[in-house]
Amino acid sequence: MDYEIIIAGGGMVGAALACLLGQAGKQVAVLETTTPAAFSPDDPFDNRVSAISRASQRLLEQAGAWSSVLNMRAAPYENMQVWDATGSGLIRFEAAELGESDLGHIVENRVLQLALLATLKTYPSVELLCPARLESFELSQQQIQVKLADGRQLTAQLLVGADGAQSVVRSLAELPYEVLDYAQKGVVCTAYTSLPHLDTAWQRFLPTGPLAFLPLPEPQACSIVWTLPADQADTALWWDEERFQRELGQALDFRLGEIMSLGERAAFPLRGLHAQPYVRERIALLGDAAHTIHPLAGQGVNLGFKDAQALAELILANERADAGSLKLLRRYERARRGDNFLTQKAMEAFNLVFSNTLAPWQILRNRGLTTANQLPLLKYQLAKRAMGL
Ligand SMILES: Cc1cc2nc3c(=O)[nH]c(=O)nc-3n(C[C@H](O)[C@H](O)[C@H](O)COP(=O)(O)OP(=O)(O)OC[C@H]3O[C@@H](n4cnc5c(N)ncnc54)[C@H](O)[C@@H]3O)c2cc1C
């Protein structure tokens, strides 16, 4: 056997799993097609960022990668303000009220991935193969043999599919999945505003979908995720810069003043996906390969990190067991499926309720936000849950 575990995909989730296993001396190979460009502090902000919860921060600390994230760049946010465009409903969370220094961090995906890849290279039992594309595999009773596009062949007890929403491992393993197309796209870019973001994550629910302004390490720079019906998102990408700035400022009700300039724009189709099951003999899926959710509360990669933690803990707690045994892998699935399912459905419910234009729903959700804002205990519970605590 070449390795105990082969991880297909060295994205944020696969690389985190490799670090957790590498720390314990597990023989791991990580296959990754491309690594991101090296970081320089002068680089413009990337348009793909993640809101990293406290629980994910702790996992990244445990994996040995968090200091490397902070050495590049990350923006802690201390407040969050969520409001409805069709009424006066508003809810505001403050880290100080919870006795916390911040509610989480906004980190560029590239920074997270680079930090994790640099960390995994420090563990002698982990090997990063890049460029390496998994093309096929063959299962036998004792092992799984993975074939790469360049002809190399590797064997292991377990193959982990951490290869994202279009997972090749999932399709080769014939693991079925449910998919729900939200008929929306998330338009992302960096926006420079005339007013400072005040270390606050801003989210406005519009009938077309939610708009988030996530604070970046410069006081007037935010990363935006603007959810729009798919055709409107495509149109917005074609607007000239002046029109996009005007419409974006208006969509946020000018809370951060005018939009002064923009980074590169992109749009991602939004769909919910859930594999059923996540595992079969010698194969396990995690992260986006197992589930994707609506990005409105920024929980996608946070769920993936929880998957990585659950799988690593199980493998390490059962040192003498075959890491690819279906019995062990089913325990991983049982540990994670409920949380992933409930989070996915909760995001879908929020998306539906807040984009509903019927008057009773508008009244109900505005009252809901206002009432929740006035109930400190409920707010505390909501914030702690979002922080993964
Ligand atoms: C608009 C938008 C905003 C979002 N905002 C947030 C947020 O604020 N917070 C949050 O938690 N989540 C957010 N998400 C979700 C988050 O981006 C994903 O959950 C996360 O990227 C999943 O990470 P992953 O490592 O599972 O998959 P990926 O990031 O897709 O990584 C998969 C890796 O596998 C590699 N790969 C693929 N195929 C192969 C192969 N055959 N062989 C070898 N390697 C392969 C790829 O190169 C890639 O590096 C957002 C998503 C969207 C669309």
Side-chain angles (χ1 to χ4, degrees), residues 9 11-13 31-33 48-51 109 113 132-134 162-164 168 188 225 268 270 287-288 295 298-302:
M12 296 181 279
V13 174
L31 315 176
E32 175 53 56
T33 51
R48 291 301 308 270
V49 307
S50 294
N109 291 2
Q113 194 186 359
R133 178 182 297 279
L134 177 142
D163 49 348
V168 173
V188 295
V225 184
F268 296 90
L270 303 182
D288 273 21
Q299 289 297 326
V301 80
N302 293 299

Side-chain angles (χ1 to χ4, degrees), residues 77-135:
Y77 60 100
E78 292 168 18
N79 313 298
M80 183 187 288
Q81 188 156 310
V82 180
W83 74 105
D84 187 7
T86 64
S88 57
L90 176 146
I91 188 163
R92 191 177 159 81
F93 298 96
E94 289 173 26
E97 277 179 0
L98 305 167
E100 298 279 345
S101 55
D102 55 72
L103 296 172
H105 286 74
I106 306 300
V107 190
E108 290 153 87
N109 291 2
R110 178 172 66 117
V111 165
L112 268 172
Q113 194 186 359
L114 283 172
L116 283 159
L117 292 177
T119 307
L120 70 79
K121 284 185 198 156
T122 65
Y123 299 120
S125 64
V126 180
E127 201 176 342
L128 173 65
L129 306 181
C130 182
R133 178 182 297 279
L134 177 142
E135 205 167 63

